[in-house]
Amino acid sequence: PLFNLHSRDEVGSTNDEVRLLAEQGAQDGTVVWALRQSAGRGRQGRTWVSPEGNLYFSLLLRPRVPIAEAANLSFVASLALADAIRHFSPDIKLSLKWPNDVLIEGQKVSGVLLESKARPSAELEYLIMGIGVNLKNYPDDARYPATSLFEQINQNTPHPGKMLKAFLNNFDPWYKLWNKDGFAAVRAAWLDQAHGLGKKIYVRLPGETLSGRFVTIDKDGALDLDLDNGKQRLITAGDVFFT
Ligand code: BTN
C-alpha cells in the first residue's frame, strides 16, 4: 500500500486512533505513530507500558480476504520486523516466537497486536496491525523475558521514526508476496526463523498449560503441538514459553 502517516506526541493507544480513522473510511496504508501511549495494549488483554523512546504505531490494512485469513498477517508483521531490525544490525541473532514476537537471544524485543472487523459476509472489513518495538526501554515486570535494541546494539539503535521507515519498507514486499502467493511462502520464511521448532515448549491457555513438542505451524498458522501424552493439538491463541 501507499502509506499515509499521522504523527502524534501522545495518544491512548495507536490502535484506537487507527480504528477511529478506519470507521471514517480511511484508506489501506493509513499509519498512526505516537511517541508515547497512555493506554497501550498488549495481547491477551495485557497492558503495553509505552514511555517515550520506543516505537509505537498502528497500520490499517484492507485486504479482501475471509476474516479467517487475517491471522496470517501476524506472521507477515514479524518477518518485516525482523528484516527492519537487521537493517540496522545485519549480524544480529533474531528468532521468531509464535505467533508474532521477535526475540533477540531469546528475549522479546517487539510485539504485534492485531484487531480486526469483519463484514456480515465474514469477509475482512479492515485489520489494525499495532506494533511496539523496544528501542530504549523495556518493562522489567514483563511476563516474558524482554530486552531493548539499545541493550543489544547500543549506538546503532535507530530513533523511532527511522525504525518505522525501515519497517514500512520491509513490510511492503512481504505483504505483496502474501497477496500474490498466499500464506505458503510466508509460512516457510517464518518457519526458517522460528524459535524452538522441534523442541519441547509450553503453551499457556486460559485455565491450562500444555507441554509438548513444537512440530510446525499448519497451513493457516496454527501451532501444531505433539502433546506429552501423544495426542496432537492445534492451537490458534495462547502464550508460548520455552522453559
Ligand atoms: C504484545 O506483544 O502483547 C503486543 C504488543 C503490541 C503493542 C503495540 S504499541 C502500538 C499499538 N498500540 C497498542 O496499544 N498496542 C500496539
Side-chain angles (χ1 to χ4, degrees):
L2 281 176
F3 299 110
N4 175 11
L5 176 64
H6 302 254
S7 308
R8 302 278 182 265
D9 285 340
E10 180 169 321
V11 298
S13 160
T14 56
N15 270 33
D16 296 342
E17 298 297 313
V18 165
R19 183 186 303 275
L20 280 173
L21 295 172
E23 292 293 337
Q24 292 162 12
Q27 300 290 307
D28 187 67
T30 297
V31 176
V32 174
W33 164 39
L35 298 179
R36 305 179 290 277
Q37 297 184 117
S38 57
R41 296 197 303 273
R43 287 176 61 240
Q44 318 269 40
R46 289 189 285 263
T47 299
W48 188 260
V49 181
S50 307
E52 194 151 336
N54 298 330
L55 175 59
Y56 314 104
F57 72 98
S58 302
L59 168 61
L60 175 64
L61 297 168
R62 296 182 181 275
R64 288 165 198 274
V65 296
I67 183 78
E69 286 173 33
N72 289 185
L73 286 164
S74 66
F75 301 93
V76 174
S78 37
L79 285 167
L81 274 169
D83 286 350
I85 293 169
R86 278 191 286 260
H87 176 77
F88 300 101
S89 183
D91 299 324
I92 198 165
K93 270 197 167 169
L94 300 176
S95 56
L96 305 179
K97 174 176 177 286
W98 187 90
N100 50 29
D101 296 342
V102 177
L103 307 180
I104 306 177
E105 309 278 353
Q107 301 163 92
K108 173 165 168 158
V109 72
S110 66
V112 180
L113 176 66
L114 296 184
E115 295 179 323
S116 55
K117 184 174 178 189
R119 297 182 195 284
S121 62
E123 228 209 355
L124 184 66
E125 182 180 330
Y126 60 76
L127 177 102
I128 301 166
M129 179 180 280
I131 295 186
V133 183
N134 300 338
L135 298 174
K136 283 281 165 61
N137 318 288
Y138 59 91
D140 47 19
D141 60 342
R143 292 164 35 113
Y144 192 84
T147 189
S148 66
L149 216 50
F150 185 75
E151 188 169 79
Q152 305 292 332
I153 64 172
N154 304 301
Q155 71 277 10
N156 292 328
T157 305
H159 286 120
K162 289 260 165 58
M163 180 56 89
L164 172 59
K165 188 163 175 255
F167 173 83
L168 296 175
N169 286 338
N170 283 289
F171 178 78
D172 210 52
W174 286 115
Y175 189 61
K176 282 191 179 129
L177 180 73
W178 176 72
N179 273 303
K180 191 162 86 41
D181 295 351
F183 186 55
V186 168
R187 174 181 178 273
W190 189 90
L191 283 169
D192 271 347
Q193 300 179 64
H195 198 86
L197 195 64
K199 306 235 168 73
K200 170 140 178 167
I201 65 167
Y202 301 85
V203 185
R204 201 168 292 161
L205 306 176
E208 63 176 331
T209 298
L210 304 174
S211 71
R213 197 172 67 87
F214 177 12
V215 180
T216 189
I217 58 172
D218 80 353
K219 62 172 190 9
D220 303 315
L223 189 156
D224 180 346
L225 195 64
D226 251 350
L227 296 178
D228 293 341
N229 67 13
K231 294 202 174 108
Q232 188 206 29
R233 189 77 179 251
L234 280 175
I235 295 152
T236 54
D239 274 323
V240 171
F241 294 85
F242 301 100
T243 49

